[in-house]
Amino acid sequence: MGAIEWQPGFEYPGAEAASKTITNCFYSANIWGDTKGRSLDDQVTEPVTIAGMPGYRTTGIVNFSHSPMELTSATELVVVVLETDQGPSVFVTETAVGVEAHEEAADAAYESLTGIS
């Protein structure tokens, strides 16, 4: 978990809108290398409580119609925004779908959340 620093001049929109916005920023970012035909599918935003702190989790699958990756043609985004005593904090994973070691590591990281550090 890391503190969220919202852009100067813009008001923090709350955990639900922040989790959606951060997910869409990752999807739209120029980080996907030589992939083509990218789509964000199965996007879901739901309330969560972690270590007694309320927030929202947005998940979505980024599918690629063409990808140079050998083990997958999709990646899962998970963005959790929590309202902590120190202010809003965020946890983000981007995990290769179908790559068991990656999925297990992402699940373990999510299960270890205790709030901002």
Side-chain angles (χ1 to χ4, degrees):
M1 297 296 301
I4 294 177
E5 296 280 333
W6 216 250
Q7 185 175 359
F10 291 89
E11 186 174 327
Y12 169 68
E16 182 176 12
S19 71
K20 292 177 183 178
T21 299
I22 294 168
T23 299
N24 287 319
C25 284
F26 269 92
Y27 169 68
S28 299
N30 188 20
I31 60 172
W32 304 107
D34 292 333
T35 63
K36 295 188 182 5
R38 185 174 72 238
S39 64
L40 179 59
D41 302 310
D42 305 321
Q43 190 171 351
V44 175
T45 300
E46 57 194 351
V48 295
T49 301
I50 297 174
M53 295 172 284
Y56 281 84
R57 174 180 56 225
T58 298
T59 59
I61 303 295
V62 180
N63 287 293
F64 308 105
S65 64
H66 170 74
S67 170
M69 297 176 282
E70 293 179 18
L71 300 178
T72 189
S73 62
T75 189
E76 180 182 35
L77 297 177
V78 175
V79 176
V80 179
V81 176
L82 297 178
E83 303 292 356
T84 74
D85 290 340
Q86 296 86 6
S89 61
V90 64
F91 168 83
V92 178
T93 58
E94 179 262 317
T95 309
V97 172
V99 179
E100 190 173 331
H102 292 198
E103 292 175 337
E104 289 173 358
D107 290 345
Y110 183 81
E111 294 299 319
S112 74
L113 293 180
T114 59
I116 194 168
S117 59

